[in-house]
Amino acid sequence: QVQLVESGGGLVQPGGSLRLSCGASGSIRRIDSATWYRQAPGKERELVATISSGDIINYVDSVKGRFTISRDNARKTVYLQMNNLKAEDTAVYYCKGFVVVAYGTYSNWGQGTQVTVSS
């Protein structure tokens, strides 16, 4: 019933920035641990960044120093700030999160948002 929804993707030049958002479509208590993935055409899905319920954060080596994952518990939203974007960052970005509702916790995926880095 409750779904995650990504937004913020688009077309940006190399060196530019985008901020992706991941929020819930329905009423939830919070998003616990969450992970951003990406998948480029013809390539396997890749883990980009993860944040735990205790705000322990990890990144894939290729985005360290450029991307920042964070959460806003008041807005019940997880973000991925992407700076100094490169052509190889072009992909569909997906959010996977453990969504806490009144009656339990569920793992869910969003539908994805396209990020294209091109001059």
Side-chain angles (χ1 to χ4, degrees), residues 10-14 18 38-41 43 46 66-67 82 85-93 113-119:
L11 175 64
V12 65
Q13 295 183 353
L18 289 171
R38 66 186 180 187
Q39 188 165 25
K43 295 186 177 181
E46 177 185 35
R66 300 188 298 119
F67 290 12
M82 305 186 295
L85 284 161
K86 304 175 181 180
E88 54 263 39
D89 296 318
T90 296
V92 178
Y93 284 71
T113 185
Q114 176 71 50
V115 173
T116 302
V117 185
S118 177
S119 60

Side-chain angles (χ1 to χ4, degrees), residues 2 27-32 98-107:
V2 175
S27 179
I28 68 170
R29 291 189 173 183
R30 64 185 181 274
I31 302 174
D32 277 348
F98 287 88
V99 179
V100 180
V101 296
Y103 46 87
T105 302
Y106 300 89
S107 178

Side-chain angles (χ1 to χ4, degrees), residues 7-51:
S7 63
L11 175 64
V12 65
Q13 295 183 353
S17 298
L18 289 171
R19 188 181 73 166
L20 306 184
S21 298
C22 175
S25 63
S27 179
I28 68 170
R29 291 189 173 183
R30 64 185 181 274
I31 302 174
D32 277 348
S33 59
T35 301
W36 285 97
Y37 295 88
R38 66 186 180 187
Q39 188 165 25
K43 295 186 177 181
E44 295 182 347
R45 185 184 64 191
E46 177 185 35
L47 187 151
V48 178
T50 185
I51 183 168

Side-chain angles (χ1 to χ4, degrees), residues 76-89:
K76 302 174 183 179
T77 302
V78 177
Y79 302 98
L80 184 68
Q81 178 68 47
M82 305 186 295
N83 297 326
N84 192 24
L85 284 161
K86 304 175 181 180
E88 54 263 39
D89 296 318

